Amino acid sequence: MEPRILELRREIDRINRELLTLLSERARIASEIGRIQTERGLGHYDPAREEEMLAYLAAENPGPFPDGTVKKLFKEIFKATLALEEQEDKQKFLFSRETRPEDTRVKVRQAVFGDGPLLIAGPCAIESEEQMQRTAEFLASRGVKVLRGGAYKPRTSPYAFQGLGVEGLKLGRAAADRHGMAFVTEVMDTRDVEVVSEYADILQVGARNMQNFALLREVGRSGQPVLLKRGLSATVEEWFYAAEYVLSQGNDQVILVERGIRTYEKWTRNTLDLSGAVLAKQLTHLPVVVDVTHAAGRIDLLAPLARAALAAGVDAVHVEVHPNPKVAMSDNNQQMDFAQFDAFLDAVRDLLEPAKTRRG
Ligand SMILES: O=C(O)C(=O)C[C@]1(C(=O)O)C=C[C@@H](O)C=C1
């Protein structure tokens, strides 16, 4: 090798090392800026700041690189810096496995979310004492430990059945108590969190309320376990950020529910985003539930979707069950009757721990 080249390369090596030192120092300073921005709820990307730096770099460019090349090099530095700031943010999020590597377990009466697959089952809406008692008795006899039932119903039409309210809460609590089950029901308004908490073991925040930030904070403050449904068109990141609202109030009993997202598909009510559910398991330490009923909106897909979800490692599957769906006050076509639930159970039993389910 030409001695002069070797000598010049050693000069390059020295400058490489100096550049590395300066770039690392720059990154540490920018990280400090990023931490301050995050604390103040500010974003990191600042195009005006980037333009300001590019302007003086071009003006002071001694060559031989053309201004365009200098700008391109520094834009890469800005991009890398932004990625570093955003990565550091993610490591700060309470939902992140970076913050808590071990799985969070949510224990509610006899059910432990995150400790082996569970079923959540029950009617869309609580309609009567007889309906809730019959359903709870049947489901408990099949080993279901978590009873769902809506007392406050988010209906598209204001003229549709809105739920029994507190009367429904009482019926759900009584049915769950009689059969040793946990009771989960939706809360729709910050003003109802206190009363719903008196009856329900788990507060459900519905898909339409996923970014009702006041409600998220209120259920967080309640300290009650929260079942957080992903919004109809929410990104996975928005879903996690919604969970962060609850966690930020000091409440770590958060369970994430993938219930299908709104797409262009017409043959199913929504489109089950299994990748979203898997991302939730991988990136967060929170238990993850898949609600196959609201995803599919039809009975014939429930078992295959539940099998896929359980095989993918989710912690629970959520289905709607009603003694007589034909006369249900809501969602008639997507609730299983008892015989259909037994067939569903037979189809998924091998993926649920045998101890948790039995044929009555
Ligand atoms: O100064 C900031 O706000 C930063 O986040 C640092 C920095 C940079 O690399 O200089 C990074 C990204 C921004 O878009 C602007 C500037």
Side-chain angles (χ1 to χ4, degrees):
M1 171 68 75
E2 169 63 40
R4 177 63 180 145
I5 289 178
L6 286 175
E7 183 187 354
L8 291 171
R9 281 184 171 178
R10 277 195 289 278
E11 189 60 8
I12 291 277
D13 292 340
R14 178 186 63 76
I15 293 169
N16 282 348
R17 291 186 175 91
E18 283 183 16
L19 279 176
L20 179 60
T21 301
L22 288 171
L23 282 171
S24 302
E25 179 59 16
R26 184 186 195 283
R28 280 190 290 275
I29 294 168
S31 289
E32 182 55 28
I33 294 173
R35 277 189 284 278
I36 297 166
Q37 288 167 331
T38 300
E39 282 163 15
R40 285 170 177 55
L42 301 172
H44 300 311
Y45 179 52
D46 184 340
R49 169 61 177 153
E50 294 190 12
E51 283 309 312
E52 174 198 354
M53 291 185 283
L54 293 176
Y56 72 66
L57 289 164
E60 297 165 28
N61 176 15
F65 283 131
D67 288 358
T69 303
V70 169
K71 288 183 177 181
K72 196 172 174 186
L73 284 171
F74 273 87
K75 279 179 180 175
E76 283 304 311
I77 293 173
F78 302 159
K79 192 174 157 190
T81 307
L82 212 47
L84 178 69
E85 291 175 306
E86 285 161 1
Q87 178 54 34
E88 286 176 342
D89 278 353
K90 280 191 173 49
Q91 285 167 2
K92 281 203 175 90
F93 279 106
L94 296 170
F95 67 70
S96 170
R97 279 196 184 279
E98 306 273 351
T99 305
R100 180 189 288 184
E102 69 280 359
D103 285 339
T104 289
R105 283 176 167 67
V106 179
K107 184 173 181 347
V108 189
R109 301 204 182 233
Q110 302 303 315
V112 182
F113 289 87
D115 189 28
L118 290 170
L119 282 179
I120 304 173
C124 173
I126 299 170
E127 296 164 357
S128 69
E129 181 175 6
E130 193 259 347
Q131 170 231 23
M132 275 312 275
Q133 286 296 344
R134 276 186 65 199
T135 307
E137 181 182 25
F138 167 74
L139 291 174
S141 73
R142 272 39 181 193
V144 176
K145 292 183 169 53
V146 186
L147 177 70
R148 64 138 290 141
Y152 299 88
K153 295 302 298 172
R155 305 303 306 280
T156 304
S157 164
Y159 309 118
F161 174 58
Q162 301 292 309
L164 297 179
V166 175
E167 188 51 37
L169 295 175
K170 291 175 181 174
L171 296 176
R173 179 72 270 153
D177 285 347
R178 187 163 173 184
H179 300 286
M181 304 169 86
F183 172 43
V184 54
T185 194
E186 181 169 2
V187 59
M188 289 173 55
D189 190 309
T190 52
R191 293 165 297 184
D192 297 329
V193 169
E194 189 176 348
V195 66
V196 176
S197 297
E198 287 171 25
Y199 296 93
D201 299 299
I202 304 171
L203 303 180
Q204 176 181 307
V205 174
R208 292 161 186 78
N209 270 316
M210 188 204 83
Q211 290 190 311
N212 180 336
F213 302 120
L215 182 60
L216 294 173
R217 288 195 188 91
E218 196 61 33
V219 298
R221 280 192 286 271
S222 77
Q224 289 271 88
V226 176
L227 201 71
L228 176 60
K229 289 208 170 181
R230 181 179 174 184
L232 290 80
S233 304
T235 62
V236 172
E237 185 176 54
E238 288 165 339
W239 185 25
F240 292 178
Y241 280 33
E244 193 73 9
Y245 268 89
V246 180
L247 295 163
S248 67
Q249 299 298 317
N251 183 352
D252 68 352
Q253 300 291 281
V254 179
I255 303 162
L256 297 173
V257 184
E258 160 59 41
R259 43 77 74 202
I261 53 177
R262 179 162 285 180
T263 63
Y264 46 77
E265 179 48 56
K266 298 187 178 71
W267 287 1
T268 53
R269 182 168 181 179
N270 294 286
T271 298
L272 177 62
D273 178 16
L274 200 51
S275 54
V278 173
L279 280 169
K281 282 303 294 176
Q282 289 179 346
L283 300 180
T284 84
H285 49 79
L286 302 172
V288 177
V289 176
V290 164
D291 172 356
V292 293
T293 294
H294 286 92
R298 45 191 286 182
I299 305 295
D300 58 342
L301 297 186
L302 299 184
L305 293 183
R307 289 189 63 82
L310 291 167
V314 303
D315 300 289
V317 165
H318 170 291
V319 289
E320 287 185 350
V321 177
H322 188 290
N324 186 359
K326 291 185 185 62
V327 298
M329 302 287 281
S330 55
D331 289 354
N332 308 65
N333 301 325
Q334 65 184 34
Q335 301 192 69
M336 289 185 277
D337 63 24
F338 294 173
Q340 289 168 326
F341 181 75
D342 273 340
F344 168 84
L345 209 45
D346 288 343
V348 303
R349 190 182 304 280
D350 60 300
L351 290 171
L352 292 169
E353 288 174 33
K356 288 187 169 36
T357 59
R358 57 187 179 279
R359 189 66 183 258

